[in-house]
Amino acid sequence: MAGSSWRQFKAILRKDLVMELRTHEMITSMGLYAILTMVVYQIALTEAGEALDVRLVMPGLIWVAFIFMSLLGLNRSFVHEKDQGCIDALLLSPVDRPVIFFAKSAGNLLFLLVVELLSLPVFAFLFLQGREGITNPIWLLGVVMFAASVGISGVGTLLATMTVNTTGKDILLAVVFVPLMYPLLRAAVGATFAAIIGGPGSVETFWAWMTWIAGFDVIMLLIAFGLYEFVIGA
Amino acid sequence: MNRTKIARLVLVLGGMLTTAAFLMTFFWANPSLLPDGRVDFSQKIFYFHVPVAEASFLVFFFTALYGVKFLLTKDRRYDMRAKIATEVTLFFVLLTMATGILWTKVAWGVWWQWEPRLTTYFIMTLLVIAYFVLRNSVEDEEKRAVYAAAFGILAFIDAPISFFITRWAESIHPVVLAGGKSSGLEAPMLITFIIAQIGMLMLGYAFYEMRLHEEELKERLEALKVKVGG
Amino acid sequence: MGETSCTGRALEVQGLTRAFGVRKALDGVEFELPDGAFLSIFGPNGAGKTTLVKILTTLLNPSAGTAKVCGLDVVTDAVELRHRIGLISHNPLLYPDLTAEENLLFFAEMYGIPQATERVRDLLESVELDHRRLDITRTFSRGMLQRLSIARALLHKPDILFLDEPYSGLDPHAMDILDSLIAQIRGDHTFVMISHDLTKGLELCSHALILANGRVVLFDEKDAIDEGAFRETYRSTVGMGVA
């Protein structure tokens, strides 16, 4: 049984990748959204000019962009399944429901990470030139991005499974998703800040925030995993 | 005596206890005058604000509990209970916010401060509102119940975070229920506070029961309509 | 009447009820269908036809009563049962951004079909789509999608095929193709079809069932049915319809 679940997991993930590589739907819309966000940031920051050290607000700005960007991808990922009733065909097949959850989450995580990795250098290029560099090792940034994106994709996949069946799905996903993500976002901003700004004790602070993120991931993913069968079967 | 009668009795008792506690704050429990001899009204809010906030956390727990029960049984009555518990939570949460904002203005000089307790409680308010937005967006009755249950369970996670955050993070919000002697309440204040808290919980229970009774009557009416309609 | 690997009864439905709150989508539905039969289910909108098929295909759980498909309980043996049933709907249930072949290979993986590539080739040939196997299905006509969706439903060699208004939205030519495809596989499958089209439904079936308000109004073998009286019964249920 475990073997067939693994094969099914790979099949669903591969199917999502093939469709994305063919249409570029999610990556393009998420990427464009990230760039638009930066234009809006430029407007927001413009009057502050040199008086503001952009590095201080950058962690927050990054995560605001990421969370709203993720909403686009999450919505799309279930519209595909719903379009021609594919989700019914999937549910008719002998697949354990959690396999669908993990495969869809993994796909969403992958797309999110790709766009995050692409947009981060652009962000640095547009806003951080001439500023002091990052003092702590840059891989710390990768750690927090990965860990927080895991939580975003997991809980987001569960919620998108619900909201795709509602009226006004896009808005509703934002309404239920953003407040649920608050603890995770707060910790992600804290960890990113510690990683970028550095200073004495910053690595300890970083790992303290990472504990929060890890705790959130474990608790929320377990709950989402437990709830998925009910939600997708409804 | 049936449940409705008990609920009415509890409602009256709860009302009396909270009112009594409110009066006691003036005449018995440390009237703590301001330096110029006037009564410190802001301090009285404490006997309402804290009990209603504690009650909101407790009632919200029932949203999650009945959500779990619903998912395990698919029994519609648990969905109804979860929904009503969330209604009472919303009512209490709004009261907490309103009284909190008044107190914040007097004590901290501002109406609002983004500090951990206020922020997490604000998030909880949004989650409770989102619960109803979600319910209203789902057409199919059973889907609505399942989604609401799932979201209620996830949303409840914020309640313990908000409750304990003043102990974990640097917060300027007072820790009231610190336990032991550290809460620093003198006996008359503590007794008044406990009376107010019990009164508030009774009110919560009464609201819940009476709403439930109302919904059950509606349900019976629907069933009769279906029966008569063939 | 053909034989499938379901020995005995294809469907055994007892006291099947599906309710949420006071309104019952299904209310004590009972009937038995022999192996190899072709059942047509008629009824007005909201009669419970879709709910019944969703329960029989394990997509919904009953609130009360039991249903056995191929001798397997729809609740307790759901996973095993899913290997034995296929669904052809008016919705193609295919991913428009995958090619015909990719769609079938994907579902072959979900069912764990051995030698999937050959099986997919054979099926594409039998539904006359092998020349389009590398095209994404977004470009397919309604009739081609329906043929591909039949191939998808047959992938894992199910014993029972559920058809949910398979003719709706098809042009006459596509209907003919569907007819001949059904005739081809009729011998070794049991069929359960939801239909709005009385003539078509009666023409194909060996058994007919009329549902209204979640209850069975009529269930009989076709040979025992007088068509005039049947049409009259059906018409009377449409009046009770959408409650």
Side-chain angles (χ1 to χ4, degrees), chain A residues 7-8 22 81 84-86, chain C residues 93-95 97 102 110 112:
Chain A
R7 201 187 53 235
Q8 290 164 334
R22 196 159 285 157
E81 301 289 345
Q84 297 196 348
C86 298
Chain C
L93 315 185
L94 295 162
Y95 293 94
D97 290 315
E102 283 167 345
M110 301 312 290

Side-chain angles (χ1 to χ4, degrees), chain C residues 88 94 99-101 103-104 118-134 137 140-155 161 173-174 176-185 189:
Chain C
I88 299 166
L94 295 162
T99 66
E101 193 177 58
N103 260 301
L104 295 189
E118 285 88 71
R119 174 85 183 132
V120 166
R121 287 281 165 84
D122 290 348
L123 276 168
L124 282 172
E125 229 161 87
S126 69
V127 296
E128 292 166 32
L129 280 172
D130 43 340
H131 62 295
R132 296 293 302 268
R133 67 187 176 88
L134 297 179
T137 62
F140 282 21
S141 70
R142 189 75 187 75
M144 288 161 75
L145 280 176
Q146 191 60 296
R147 275 185 279 157
L148 186 60
S149 115
I150 292 170
R152 179 191 49 70
L154 294 177
L155 262 177
L161 276 174
H173 177 63
D176 285 345
I177 296 177
L178 183 56
D179 274 342
S180 67
L181 274 169
I182 290 179
Q184 264 177 45
I185 56 176
H189 293 83

